[in-house]
Short mmCIF file of all heavy atoms in Angstrom, two decimals:
data_model
loop_
_atom_site.label_atom_id
_atom_site.label_comp_id
_atom_site.label_asym_id
_atom_site.label_seq_id
_atom_site.Cartn_x
_atom_site.Cartn_y
_atom_site.Cartn_z
N PRO S 1233 29.71 25.68 1.60
CA PRO S 1233 28.28 25.82 1.58
C PRO S 1233 27.51 24.52 1.58
O PRO S 1233 27.80 23.65 0.78
CB PRO S 1233 28.03 26.54 0.31
CG PRO S 1233 29.34 27.26 -0.05
CD PRO S 1233 30.40 26.33 0.45
N SER S 1234 26.64 24.35 2.50
CA SER S 1234 25.78 23.13 2.60
C SER S 1234 24.58 23.45 3.56
O SER S 1234 24.64 24.45 4.28
CB SER S 1234 26.53 21.98 3.23
OG SER S 1234 26.85 22.18 4.63
N THR S 1235 23.57 22.59 3.43
CA THR S 1235 22.45 22.76 4.33
C THR S 1235 22.92 22.55 5.78
O THR S 1235 22.46 23.18 6.74
CB THR S 1235 21.28 21.81 4.04
OG1 THR S 1235 20.25 22.05 4.99
CG2 THR S 1235 21.70 20.36 4.01
N TRP S 1236 23.98 21.75 5.98
CA TRP S 1236 24.53 21.49 7.34
C TRP S 1236 25.11 22.76 7.86
O TRP S 1236 24.77 23.17 9.02
CB TRP S 1236 25.52 20.41 7.27
CG TRP S 1236 25.20 19.14 6.66
CD1 TRP S 1236 24.07 18.38 6.87
CD2 TRP S 1236 25.91 18.41 5.62
NE1 TRP S 1236 24.01 17.24 6.02
CE2 TRP S 1236 25.25 17.26 5.32
CE3 TRP S 1236 27.13 18.65 5.03
CZ2 TRP S 1236 25.64 16.35 4.29
CZ3 TRP S 1236 27.61 17.71 4.01
CH2 TRP S 1236 26.85 16.59 3.71
N ARG S 1237 26.02 23.38 7.08
CA ARG S 1237 26.69 24.55 7.54
C ARG S 1237 25.74 25.72 7.82
O ARG S 1237 25.82 26.39 8.76
CB ARG S 1237 27.74 24.99 6.43
CG ARG S 1237 28.60 26.16 6.78
CD ARG S 1237 29.72 25.74 7.75
NE ARG S 1237 29.44 26.16 9.09
CZ ARG S 1237 30.05 25.64 10.12
NH1 ARG S 1237 30.91 24.62 9.98
NH2 ARG S 1237 29.68 26.02 11.31
N GLU S 1238 24.81 25.91 6.82
CA GLU S 1238 23.87 26.96 6.92
C GLU S 1238 22.98 26.79 8.21
O GLU S 1238 22.78 27.76 8.92
CB GLU S 1238 22.95 27.04 5.69
CG GLU S 1238 21.92 28.17 5.74
CD GLU S 1238 21.00 28.12 4.52
OE1 GLU S 1238 21.47 28.28 3.38
OE2 GLU S 1238 19.75 28.01 4.71
N SER S 1239 22.52 25.57 8.41
CA SER S 1239 21.64 25.37 9.66
C SER S 1239 22.35 25.50 10.90
O SER S 1239 21.84 26.06 11.83
CB SER S 1239 21.02 23.96 9.51
OG SER S 1239 20.18 23.89 8.38
N LEU S 1240 23.62 25.03 10.99
CA LEU S 1240 24.44 25.17 12.16
C LEU S 1240 24.73 26.63 12.47
O LEU S 1240 24.61 27.06 13.56
CB LEU S 1240 25.76 24.35 11.96
CG LEU S 1240 26.64 24.22 13.24
CD1 LEU S 1240 25.90 23.61 14.40
CD2 LEU S 1240 27.87 23.39 12.94
N ASP S 1241 25.09 27.40 11.42
CA ASP S 1241 25.40 28.82 11.60
C ASP S 1241 24.16 29.55 12.05
O ASP S 1241 24.21 30.50 12.87
CB ASP S 1241 25.93 29.45 10.35
CG ASP S 1241 27.36 28.96 10.03
OD1 ASP S 1241 27.98 28.34 10.87
OD2 ASP S 1241 27.84 29.20 8.95
N ARG S 1242 22.99 29.22 11.45
CA ARG S 1242 21.69 29.95 11.70
C ARG S 1242 21.12 29.52 13.04
O ARG S 1242 20.64 30.36 13.80
CB ARG S 1242 20.76 29.75 10.59
CG ARG S 1242 19.48 30.57 10.68
CD ARG S 1242 18.51 30.27 9.49
NE ARG S 1242 18.06 28.84 9.60
CZ ARG S 1242 17.70 28.09 8.55
NH1 ARG S 1242 17.76 28.59 7.30
NH2 ARG S 1242 17.27 26.86 8.68
N ASN S 1243 21.01 28.20 13.28
CA ASN S 1243 20.22 27.74 14.44
C ASN S 1243 21.06 27.14 15.58
O ASN S 1243 20.48 26.82 16.58
CB ASN S 1243 19.30 26.61 13.93
CG ASN S 1243 18.35 27.06 12.80
OD1 ASN S 1243 17.91 28.25 12.77
ND2 ASN S 1243 18.12 26.17 11.86
N GLY S 1244 22.35 27.07 15.35
CA GLY S 1244 23.19 26.39 16.41
C GLY S 1244 23.05 24.89 16.34
O GLY S 1244 22.38 24.31 15.46
N GLU S 1245 23.59 24.24 17.33
CA GLU S 1245 23.58 22.78 17.39
C GLU S 1245 22.19 22.27 17.60
O GLU S 1245 21.33 22.92 18.24
CB GLU S 1245 24.50 22.26 18.53
CG GLU S 1245 25.98 22.59 18.32
CD GLU S 1245 26.86 22.09 19.39
OE1 GLU S 1245 26.75 22.57 20.47
OE2 GLU S 1245 27.61 21.17 19.10
N GLY S 1246 22.01 21.04 17.14
CA GLY S 1246 20.67 20.34 17.42
C GLY S 1246 20.07 19.84 16.12
O GLY S 1246 20.77 19.52 15.14
N PHE S 1247 18.77 19.73 16.15
CA PHE S 1247 17.99 19.07 15.13
C PHE S 1247 18.29 19.56 13.70
O PHE S 1247 18.31 20.73 13.48
CB PHE S 1247 16.50 19.16 15.45
CG PHE S 1247 15.65 18.54 14.41
CD1 PHE S 1247 15.53 17.13 14.36
CD2 PHE S 1247 14.99 19.30 13.47
CE1 PHE S 1247 14.69 16.55 13.40
CE2 PHE S 1247 14.19 18.71 12.51
CZ PHE S 1247 14.05 17.29 12.48
N HIS S 1248 18.48 18.68 12.77
CA HIS S 1248 18.63 19.02 11.34
C HIS S 1248 17.54 18.42 10.47
O HIS S 1248 16.95 19.08 9.63
CB HIS S 1248 20.04 18.72 10.83
CG HIS S 1248 20.19 19.11 9.38
ND1 HIS S 1248 20.20 18.18 8.37
CD2 HIS S 1248 20.34 20.36 8.77
CE1 HIS S 1248 20.37 18.83 7.22
NE2 HIS S 1248 20.49 20.16 7.44
#
Side-chain angles (χ1 to χ4, degrees):
S1234 68
T1235 178
W1236 308 310
R1237 184 78 259 159
E1238 182 184 299
S1239 298
L1240 188 57
D1241 290 349
R1242 186 182 64 208
N1243 304 323
E1245 295 182 291
F1247 180 75
H1248 180 255

